[in-house]
Each structure stands twice: as C-alpha cells, then as structure tokens.
Amino acid sequence: MLGITHSAALMGVDAHPVQVEVNTGEAGELKFVLVGLPDSAVKESQDRVFSALANSGYRAPATRTTINLAPGDLKKEGPAYDLPIAIAILASMKKCEDAELDDFLISGELSLSGKTRPVKGALAMAMLAKRQGKRGLVVPAESSDEAALVEGVSIYPVASLDEAVRFFNGEKIIAPVRAEQSSYTQRPPERRQLDFSEVKGQQAVRRAVEIAVSGGHNLLMLGSPGSGKSMIAKRIPSIMPEPQLEEFLEILSIQSAAGSTLRQGNRCFQRPFRSPHHTISDVGLLGGGTIPGPGEISLAHNGVLFLDELPEFKRSTLEVLRQPLEDGSVTISRSAGKITLPSSMMLVAAMNPCPCGYTGDSSRECRCSAPQIQRYRSRISGPLLDRIDIHIEAPALSIKELQNAKPGESSATVRERCTSAREVQAARFHDEKEPSMRCNARMSHKSIREYCTIDKEQGQLLEQAMEQLSLSARAYDRILKVARTIADLAGTPEIETAHLLEAIQYRSLDRNTFY
C-alpha cells in the first residue's frame, strides 16, 4: 500500500517542497529501501523510525518497504524527515488516516523513544506551507515558536510520534500556536547591557558610530592598542534601532536555517552582532558547503558584522566581502545548486595603524619601518576600503584624561536619535520598489540623485576634495550618502555645507593618506 506525506528541504534560507512516498507490502525479502538523494543522516532514519514506531506501540512493516523523497534531483540532509517518514509508513499500513495528510507539511526528528526533537528551518517551512496554501505545519513543539510568527498558516506542535498520529486520526485536538504565544514576541526581563555611558572620551569616534548606525554605513576605526576600538564596537548593539517585523523575520529565517535558534535563548526583536575570529575561512565568512548554507555575513543580515584586527584576516577572506557590501546579497554556486543569501549588514572593522600599533602615539615610540607599515596597511585592498563609508581615527587617551573624563551619553539617549533618523529614512523610501532599501547606506544611484542633491558651490567643494584625496567614483556616492545621514540626524531636509564637510573628513584614510 502507498502512503504519502509532505515535507520540505532547506536550500540556503529557503524551504523547497519534498513529497515523502512510502510503499509497503512489496513482494521479496524484508528490506528497507530509501531513495531520493538522501545524505547519511537521512539514511540513518531507518533505525530511528523503526525504534520510534516500536516504542510508540506500532508494528513496523514486515515486508519490503520503499521510501522515495521526491523530487529525486534535490539533495536531502538532516534528520527532519523522520516524522514524515514514520507518518507515511503508518498511512501505508492504514494505521493513520491519510484523508487530511495532503493539507499539512510535516517535519521533525524522532528519538528512539518516539519523542520529537527540534529541526532547523521551521520558519522557512511555515512560509512554504503558506505559499502552497496548506492548512498547517506539524513540527516539534520546540520548533513551533519561530514558525508561529508567520501569519496565514496554523502551526501544530507535537511532542511525540504517537501524539501526531492521534492528531491526524482525530483522536486528539491540538491547538495551533499563536504568534503572541511565541517566545520571540515576549519581552525578556531587563538585564544590564554594555552601555555607551561607560566609554570615556573619544567624542569623535562616538559621533562617527552614531552616524554609521543611523544610516547603516560601514565603519573602520584606526587606533593604537587600548584606545577603545573594541570596547566601542561591542556597545554598538545597544544603540541599534529595534528591527521591524519584516526585518526580524528575515533575521530569524537565516538563524533558523543555520540551526542557531536551536541553541540560543530568547532574542525578541534583536539585531544580530557577529564577531568572527580572524582565522575564519572564506567559506565560513561567505557561506557555502556541500549543500550551501549561510556564513557569517548572512548571519549578520540586518545587524552588525564586527571584524577586529582587520589586517590579520586572510587577504582572500577579506576580498569575498566586496560583492556583499555592494549588493547586500551573495550568490553561491556549488554542485548541489546555486543559492542567493541576504547579506545586508553593517560592517564595523577595527585595526592598528602599524604592526606594533603605536604609529602616531604620543606616549609610546613606534618601532616599525615605513616599508613594514606600508605592507601592513596594504593587506586592506583599495576596492575594499572604498566600500567602507566612514573612516575614523581613535587616539589613545592618557591616564589623566581617563581619570578626569566625565561619563558620556547613555546608549538609550543615542538610540533615540538613531531611531528617529531611521524613521525619517523609512518614510523616505516607503514607496521605493526595492524592499531592501531601508536606510541611506542602501540607496541606489537613482535614489542618490533624487535625495542627495547639492548646490553648485557644494559640488565644487566635493570635486576639490575628490581630487586632493584621489577618491573613486564609489567614494563620491558614499560621501553623499553619509552627508544625507548627517542631515537626517540634524533634522534638515537638505544637505548643508557643514554636513558635506563632515562627510568628507570621514574619508581621511583613503588612498594616498592610507598607504
């Protein structure tokens, strides 16, 4: 007899439909045959499923059994097919009513006892169920939290195989999880966070960080060891505006596809902050693998990617950032297929001015020669430096300055200004056709011409700066974007000369002054 259930396979951050077909009662020796490009974890489902059936009070088929995961040209990985395979086996043996199975997507790992375990990508599966017009998604209870955020589809949590069978047989009523019940919409208790009030001095750096966050601009901090670069970077999440629901769903879908939501606690409407070590590989940063998945730049989508000690990263690793920084997405091609991953993140980088770190430090002597400094800085290519909107130097503070410096503004105060600036930008780009254009840093060339207009005198000023600093056409656009953000922070509809001058000074590490 034939039993059919519907499940899903993850490719990148998207779910693709998979039909699970089970045929039992075939003539021949007792054998379990699994086809449809399964990986090792899927092949091992035989032992998990048969043990779960036995411990749930069901008898496994005593005849040749063939299981097909269709389509056959799509690679399947992971243990998420355990539950749909078990339900399909029971449906083929008339132990589970198959009248309503076509209305549901099913996914879940099974333990040997028959209990369910969470799976990756439940949010993407819920989106797929909605697109297909399914009545609902049946997943383990631990995975229902994130899936419940998708409107228009019912999420049914099951704790065991037996509970799922009784649900489909109409013997047990399971209430679907509502979005307001999800832990992802519950505000966590207030806990002490890193705060900008703890940063003493460094007013110029604080100002640059505020501008960067307000417009989503990439930022590079250059300074000697101990000047506070990493300290400031780690406090950036405390001034980031809260993501909108659409942004948060994008963040959560990537985290879910990577399996991060299975290990992390409550992260209600928080933006990601990723800080990989400088030994990370190209694939770890960009994404990929046998079956392509998200890397650090995608996991930082709608948030911050912090690269400390920037020149210590491999040159090839840094160069893979160029396309994502420009396009806000990255396309990965592998033998298993081609996927496009979102990567609209804010890059924050920190580095020393030289190998020893003390070039320009008034209190310590630099022991590096000019060629050593040049080789060190040349690890950051010109094209990559072009894509960083704001460059700022972080001078070392003396002991006296540290002792006498007054506490700065709190993160809450700075976040209010950043949020107001983002709201202005959201209203500005509300009618744009590109949904990813949510902040000034993502403006297209057409939008720059429309929203970053300057008068003739300002144009001459910018032209002079471009010639003196030997800046590229890309830097020209980025100066205008930063100037637009400064104007938004100031609450002025037009870019003024002071805004333009401040934006120009943030390119001081470019080209001939940097190398």
Side-chain angles (χ1 to χ4, degrees), residues 335-393:
S335 58
K338 183 173 73 172
I339 61 169
T340 298
L341 298 169
S343 59
S344 181
M345 81 294 188
M346 172 183 159
L347 174 66
V348 177
M351 63 177 289
N352 297 329
C354 66
C356 78
Y358 296 111
T359 293
D361 193 323
S362 57
S363 60
R364 299 194 184 186
E365 182 181 356
C366 174
R367 296 187 296 273
C368 304
S369 64
Q372 285 177 320
I373 296 175
Q374 185 176 12
R375 282 195 301 270
Y376 180 77
R377 295 191 177 190
S378 64
R379 296 178 190 176
I380 315 301
S381 68
L384 178 60
L385 202 61
D386 259 356
R387 289 167 169 82
I388 300 178
D389 306 2
I390 298 176
H391 312 152
I392 188 69
E393 293 190 60

Side-chain angles (χ1 to χ4, degrees), residues 245-280:
L245 178 59
E246 183 181 359
E247 291 181 285
F248 183 63
L249 287 177
E250 292 175 2
I251 294 169
L252 194 60
S253 65
I254 299 172
Q255 304 284 339
S256 177
S260 298
T261 54
L262 306 184
R263 301 184 299 273
Q264 296 174 348
N266 195 321
R267 299 184 62 188
C268 173
F269 285 86
Q270 294 183 22
R271 294 182 183 270
F273 180 84
R274 308 291 297 187
S275 180
H277 192 263
H278 60 76
T279 56
I280 191 172

